[in-house]
Amino acid sequence: MNGNTADLMMTDSSSSRTFTGAEFLVHALASAGVTHVFGGHGGAVVPLIDAIVAHPSVEWVYCRCEANASQAAAAHAKLRGALGCCVATSGPGAGHLLSGLVDADQDRVPLLCLTGMKDTQHIRYADFQDIDQAAIFRMAGLPLSETVADIHQLLPLTRNAFTLSLASNRCTHLAVPINVQQDTIVGRTHFCLGTAFQSRVTTPAPQLQVDALVMALRTELEAKRHVVIACGYRAHSVGREVERLAELLHCPILTSFDGKGAVGEDHPLAFGVVGVYGNAGTPSAVDLLQECDTIIGICLNDMTELITNKSGLQIRRLIQIDERLVAGDSPRFSPTAVFSCGYLKESLKKVVLDLEESVRSDPQQKFRITSLEDMNASDKQIETHEPEVSMDVWDELNQGSFIKPTGTPSTYLKGKCLEAKDVESSEFCHPAVFFDVM
């Protein structure tokens, strides 16, 4: 045996330790960046919760109902842009998690759910809290839901669940019997996530990719198509770039429910929220979608209702911009252009600058820059009125007139953006009110 081999074996040995199953799970959570675990207590998760409380880097957040735990974990993961985790005991505890897990999976939020089970040797012949959790969660649509029947399954199944959640932005589930939580196993102190993080694009867009998107956007301008920018919740970090892009294109901005606030709601091109089942939340948004030719989807999880008809057939052009394209979503449609890269804020800045230069040098498109500069220089209140039909909106936008239909979005009244102090009636629902209360 040579010296290098001996050193390697020594390193492997020194980087391993003995864990209980519960300790290993919490160690894996901390290694993956989880800081808070939401859940409810129960006899089948006592070892797991004890391990969570004992870990210095993970905080246990007790919830009175497991439904709240799964929703809170999904929201926490969504706001942090990182893996979330929720825990529940066997039986009804696990069942209560379901709505939050499905919500997280539909919103493409990376979330790991851990549920307890009775001792393995007692499964399937005693009725008390003895349900097939893995099968129930799989039927609800989770891409991975498994029962860890033996301590030696714990390491590989944990790796698989973590990797799938992080790589695909999906919700996964492991049901862990209490005896597996208590059994011991030797594992590495460094929890390996394989290529989970590498699956996310972490490099800025090269100039060739920027040029391709600018060309696609110029094509929309030259064809005088009716373009709408639609933003999801992950666009909150690129709000100013989205606004600037809309100003250059003279096109309105819509947001999903969870994308509300991604762009300034007092911006003259912010036209409201797309509502439940694809029905727009404001009348003007409905009209815009009716007359729209092209959707620029920025960090959207699902574009089905925006670009398809009632039969599910694509009827609008799609330009897709995202930092994380979810596997399986894009192939359903035929995008005109796809812009997927890391450092999306910096990459979109390049696109906006190059598009502005391209528009400025084109005599037929230069009016877009001129009208924008006039609006910024005048610093006047944006005139608001209710257009007769949606085509009036497009006509004025194409002429360089920035308009804001009254009542769009719901935080506007008679063209004025309501502040918290202006809200004196329960008929108004302004986010500032909730922030003040909180």
Side-chain angles (χ1 to χ4, degrees), residues 339-359:
F339 188 76
S340 177
C341 64
Y343 298 96
L344 188 59
K345 186 178 183 69
E346 290 73 16
S347 299
L348 270 183
K349 281 182 180 178
K350 289 183 184 178
V351 171
V352 169
L353 289 174
D354 287 6
L355 180 62
E356 182 175 351
E357 182 180 349
S358 175
V359 168

Side-chain angles (χ1 to χ4, degrees), residues 177-424:
I178 190 167
N179 61 302
V180 175
Q181 297 175 39
Q182 295 170 328
D183 286 346
T184 59
I185 192 169
V186 176
R188 292 187 176 184
T189 54
H190 172 69
F191 177 62
C192 180
L193 284 169
T195 58
F197 289 109
Q198 297 176 24
S199 66
R200 297 184 180 182
V201 183
T202 55
T203 56
Q207 188 59 45
L208 185 63
Q209 194 175 2
V210 171
D211 292 343
L213 180 57
V214 171
M215 185 181 300
L217 296 173
R218 278 298 307 264
T219 300
E220 299 300 317
L221 292 178
E222 292 166 1
K224 296 183 179 180
R225 296 191 181 99
H226 298 160
V227 178
V228 167
I229 294 178
C231 298
Y233 77 89
R234 286 180 284 106
H236 66 86
S237 62
V238 293
R240 183 61 195 118
E241 287 69 34
V242 172
E243 292 171 1
R244 184 62 179 166
L245 184 61
E247 292 163 3
L248 287 171
L249 297 174
H250 286 185
C251 71
I253 306 170
L254 301 179
T255 66
S256 60
F257 265 175
D258 55 10
K260 181 178 170 65
V263 297
E265 294 188 328
D266 57 349
H267 192 280
L269 291 174
F271 273 64
V273 177
V274 179
V276 179
Y277 306 123
N279 300 314
T282 54
S284 57
V286 174
D287 291 339
L288 287 171
L289 287 177
Q290 298 258 349
E291 301 295 337
C292 172
D293 299 319
T294 303
I295 292 288
I296 301 177
I298 302 179
C299 299
L300 277 175
N301 296 317
D302 186 8
M303 283 164 279
T304 305
E305 304 289 353
L306 292 170
I307 66 173
T308 67
N309 59 16
K310 292 182 179 180
S311 300
L313 300 176
Q314 183 173 345
I315 59 172
R316 298 183 182 93
R317 295 164 61 86
L318 170 64
I319 296 176
Q320 197 168 4
I321 300 174
D322 207 329
E323 200 166 28
R324 289 184 272 166
L325 291 183
V326 179
D329 282 0
S330 300
R332 292 183 295 169
F333 308 119
S334 299
T336 304
V338 175
F339 188 76
S340 177
C341 64
Y343 298 96
L344 188 59
K345 186 178 183 69
E346 290 73 16
S347 299
L348 270 183
K349 281 182 180 178
K350 289 183 184 178
V351 171
V352 169
L353 289 174
D354 287 6
L355 180 62
E356 182 175 351
E357 182 180 349
S358 175
V359 168
R360 195 182 293 275
S361 62
D362 187 342
Q364 294 184 338
Q365 301 293 338
K366 192 175 180 180
F367 74 92
R368 300 176 183 277
I369 302 293
T370 305
S371 62
L372 179 59
E373 290 175 344
D374 290 344
M375 186 194 76
N376 292 333
S378 64
D379 195 26
K380 294 180 180 179
Q381 176 73 27
I382 302 301
E383 181 181 355
T384 66
H385 62 273
E386 196 67 45
E388 294 181 6
V389 294
S390 60
M391 289 298 291
D392 293 347
V393 176
W394 292 108
D395 290 342
E396 297 201 39
L397 287 173
N398 286 331
Q399 292 169 14
S401 302
F402 292 81
I403 65 168
K404 168 72 70 175
T406 57
T408 306
S410 60
T411 55
Y412 290 87
L413 181 66
K414 297 180 180 177
K416 179 185 177 186
C417 181
L418 295 173
E419 302 293 342
K421 59 184 175 59
D422 299 323
V423 182
E424 300 177 353

